[in-house]
Amino acid sequence: MRLPPRPSRKLAAACALAVATGWADAAPTVRLAAPHAYGYTVGDTVRHVLTVDPEPGDRLDMASLPQPGPVNRWLELRRVAVEPGPGTQLNIALEYQTFYVPLTVKTLAIPGFSLRFTGTTGTTTAAIPAWPFSVSPVHGLAVLSGDGLDAVQADASPAAPDTATPLIRSGGLALAGLLALAYLGHLRGFWGWGRRGRHFREARRALRRLATGGGGEAAVLRAGFAVVHRAFDRTLEEPLFAERLPQFFADHAAYAGMRGEIEAFFQASYALFFGEGGVGNYGWDRLENLCRACLRIERNRPA
């Protein structure tokens, strides 16, 4: 046999050495991470993660990746995602969903495929083997065929939600809120019937209780004066002293008709609390008459 020229013989020797060492078709390293391979039923999903370590200079041919969509009549590839890892490493996530409806436990397999890489040394491939797993029926046929056992029945209809109780509770809470607001308005004097006769009406009742409660005459008289003073203070919404009476009558003109009696009350009060303790001719009856007259003014009634 005639030998080729010397350069051709060198090239043939180099190719033979490359095939012997394997660098010409060295495939990238691929590791498959998969979940357990049993116990699946119709509709379950299976997620595979391929960790690929390509040779330096090699790149993954994206066209060699499986495309999302139906793989066969019972398996669908729902999602494919490629994420870079450390260095040249690639992480390929594949999510499958099975629609196989087995009557008994059955072993299936997700088909294998090949990943293609291109680089300076040419094209290499990495084979991804098929992944077997078992699927199970939702319920066993033995249960349906057993004597005395009923077939699986349709789900019971859910009970209608109780709408009456929340409405009743909401109505009760709303009514309680309105009553609370009404009572607060009464305390703050927002309602007309609450403002009329409020301060001197309470003073009038307090004087009646003092008159029937017994006790020393002087002590009762001092308590009665204090009660009427408190009614004037609440009417003015601040403490009312004798020197502020002109301003009180200017702001509350309805009491101007009682100016003489009110000034006499303050004079007697000063003598009672800060003087010798006597009130002269300003006795209990006059104090009650003053309170009653102020009550009529407070209620906007003519004296």
Side-chain angles (χ1 to χ4, degrees), residues 155-176:
D155 295 336
S157 301
D162 183 11
T163 58
T165 300
L167 288 176
I168 294 175
R169 291 178 179 174
S170 299
L173 292 175
L175 179 60

Side-chain angles (χ1 to χ4, degrees), residues 18-51:
V19 171
T21 55
W23 63 264
D25 57 350
T29 302
V30 179
R31 297 182 298 276
L32 171 62
H36 56 81
Y38 55 89
Y40 293 93
T41 59
V42 57
D44 286 346
T45 58
V46 180
R47 189 172 187 271
H48 286 176
V49 176
L50 301 173
T51 302

Side-chain angles (χ1 to χ4, degrees), residues 116-219:
R116 187 169 55 252
F117 296 83
T118 58
T120 56
T121 60
T123 300
T124 57
T125 58
I128 311 302
W131 187 76
F133 66 103
S134 65
V135 293
S136 304
V138 177
H139 55 79
L141 295 176
V143 175
L144 297 179
S145 61
D147 295 337
L149 296 177
D150 296 331
V152 177
Q153 301 296 314
D155 295 336
S157 301
D162 183 11
T163 58
T165 300
L167 288 176
I168 294 175
R169 291 178 179 174
S170 299
L173 292 175
L175 179 60
L178 290 176
L179 292 176
L181 289 176
Y183 181 66
L184 179 61
H186 168 69
L187 294 179
R188 302 297 298 269
F190 291 159
W191 320 121
W193 52 269
R195 289 198 300 270
R196 296 183 61 180
R198 185 157 58 100
H199 305 314
F200 284 98
R201 181 186 59 193
E202 295 176 0
R204 175 65 179 158
R205 291 175 179 173
L207 290 180
R208 287 178 178 173
R209 289 194 296 269
L210 289 172
T212 59
E217 182 178 352

Side-chain angles (χ1 to χ4, degrees), residues 282-301:
Y282 204 103
W284 183 263
D285 294 339
R286 194 173 179 181
L287 182 64
E288 284 189 320
N289 291 335
L290 172 65
C291 185
R292 191 179 302 110
C294 290
L295 175 59
R296 286 194 291 267
I297 294 173
E298 200 175 47
R299 290 177 173 175
N300 296 323
R301 293 178 179 177

